[in-house]
Amino acid sequence: MMKKAVPFFLFVALLSCFAFTTHKFYTAIYQINFVPNKKMVQITTRIFADDLNAALEHKFRKKTSLGTKAETTEDIELLKKYLVEKFTIKIDGKLKTMNFHSKELEDNILICYLSCKDISKITSLEVENTIITEIHGEQQNIIQANFNNKKGSLLLGSEIFKGMLK
């Protein structure tokens, strides 16, 4: 009887381990606002810091520590480079340069503040976003935009990584 009880107990223990594990979700939010009186687009990103560190390590083959006490100026420079390569904006068909201003940590979410200057009007806004998708195929990048007194949104990921709002 004992020989049958041990495998059954191990099976129940293993099953309960799987039943109580949490499935991590991969989502980031990007808020894009056109501020006509400043002639600029302001961008706020909200990305999980651990996912961002993993993506930077994957891309640059260097461990980073964004959002921790071990964070270095090189980590921030790699972040800037990564954001510029993986997140682009075209306004009226023209690629715009993004300026990185600052970042802050809220729990495990890294909030980055960026802007595009010298924009007097927007007819169309095209966003390409492949942030985190190279390491997590299920990554969803939610884009929320406000311009010309209209609100619009895009859901981008590894398969559909580009969208346009008019």
Side-chain angles (χ1 to χ4, degrees), residues 56-70:
L56 292 176
E57 184 174 347
H58 176 80
K59 174 148 183 66
F60 299 110
R61 303 289 183 230
K62 181 179 183 327
K63 184 167 176 50
T64 58
S65 300
L66 291 169
T68 71
K69 291 179 182 178

Side-chain angles (χ1 to χ4, degrees), residues 61-103:
R61 303 289 183 230
K62 181 179 183 327
K63 184 167 176 50
T64 58
S65 300
L66 291 169
T68 71
K69 291 179 182 178
E71 178 181 280
T72 67
T73 54
E74 185 181 2
D75 293 345
I76 296 168
E77 290 305 311
L78 291 175
L79 169 65
K80 291 177 187 179
K81 186 175 179 179
Y82 182 79
L83 290 174
V84 167
E85 289 179 17
K86 298 287 191 171
F87 181 64
T88 60
I89 292 178
K90 287 184 181 177
I91 296 175
D92 301 332
K94 296 179 183 171
L95 184 64
K96 294 297 177 179
T97 301
M98 274 193 269
N99 303 301
F100 180 91
H101 295 285
S102 64
K103 60 156 190 61

Side-chain angles (χ1 to χ4, degrees), residues 123-125 147-148 150 164-166:
T123 306
S124 67
L125 174 70
F147 65 97
N148 301 337
K150 292 189 254 178
M164 182 178 290
L165 296 168
K166 292 183 179 187

